[in-house]
Amino acid sequence: MRGMDETSGSLFSYVDLEERIPTRHPLRKIRQVVNDALASLDAEFEALYTDFGRPSIPPGRLIRASLLQILFSIRSERQLMEQMNYNLMFRWFVGLGIDDPVWVPTVFTKNRDRLLSTEMSRKVMAAILAHREIAPLLSDEHLSVDGTMVKAWASMKSYQPKADAAPPDDDGPGDPPAPDTPLETAPSETPAETDPMPRNTKPLRNAEVDFKGEKRSNATHASTTDPDARLYKKSPGTGAVLCFMGHALMENRHGFVVQGDLTQADGHAERRAALDMIHRHSPGSTRRLTLGADKGYDAAGFVADLRQACVTPHVAQKSRYSAIDGRTTRHAGYALSQKHRKKIEEPFGWAKTVGGMAQTMYRGVERVRSRFILTMAANNLARLPRLLGA
């Protein structure tokens, strides 16, 4: 008998979200690890909130929703709230019941800005790595470091001269001569002929701008959209863009990112951030560590600072004037570190293709830094089901 294609509403519906999610779904293991990590941060959350006022979004649900946004490449909080309204799996992962209302996007954004600071993002990453199932997978001695460019949410047309920059010379080529007497308008001229902007005419919103021959640098120019962004190019032969510099410290055994950071872009940012991440990862450690890196880290000052911090610099050698000598390259571990350090490009690639860090949608170095660190933590979570399943 042919079934009828008719829709009939039911008066009562009993939907158990736990039963709707497949047993072998990868999000089950990720949710378990995230819940255990957030439970260990309960005292941290308690210290951030007062005992009076309107209740905010629970911090655990807010962090799970932010991780979900990164894992599923959802480009905005508004779209995240829209999908949580009808996606049962999203509701289950965040912790919302089938009848619970979804938050207003602007309320979610304000709560996220107050909670997910740089310090809180680092604590979330550390709590995930300290999980009883993840900690045995990490290497305590062999690390790698690298940096990547994160394009800022700012156009090159917003890169304008600073207000406190030195004014040009009075006899510059662009300054018109000052007239001796004010210009007089002839009686026969109409207002339309003298007015540079005729009435009922609006300026072009996205007019073309010719930058050819104009000298611009971070010392004299800044973006009006995001003043923290810097004009920078990482390699010769490429165009400079407004960007930040993201950094990651990876353990070499399974490729987990153990430290993340983001700074303003300049030629020394990668080496400074590497030292900061090493000291945060192993404060006051007397164990001998190894640190693999590319040729950009082959600088005499950086290598000396690593040796002073009890870290063996397994840095790729420059063709000329390398700070790495035979004391380091003669050991078999040097070649092994050079082989494993290239795996750090995988978290960067995942962050840009899946995590939305090819061009950030946040402004200000503090917001972009906290989002970048949370994206590195989400990359670690994305690799868990396969590793723990094996």
Side-chain angles (χ1 to χ4, degrees), residues 99-110:
D99 296 322
D100 292 339
V102 178
W103 309 295
V104 178
T106 54
V107 174
F108 181 86
T109 301
K110 290 181 180 179

Side-chain angles (χ1 to χ4, degrees), residues 371-382:
R371 190 66 174 189
F372 181 82
I373 297 173
L374 195 67
T375 303
M376 293 292 102
N379 170 73
N380 293 338
L381 291 172

Side-chain angles (χ1 to χ4, degrees), residues 213-252:
E214 180 183 351
K215 294 183 179 180
R216 297 178 296 169
S217 70
N218 293 321
T220 58
H221 289 63
S223 171
T224 57
T225 304
D226 189 352
D228 290 339
R230 293 292 181 267
L231 192 65
Y232 182 74
K233 62 177 182 180
K234 196 174 182 182
S235 58
T238 59
V241 295
L242 288 170
C243 63
F244 299 95
M245 186 67 69
H247 316 275
L249 184 68
M250 179 194 73
E251 57 85 28
N252 290 350

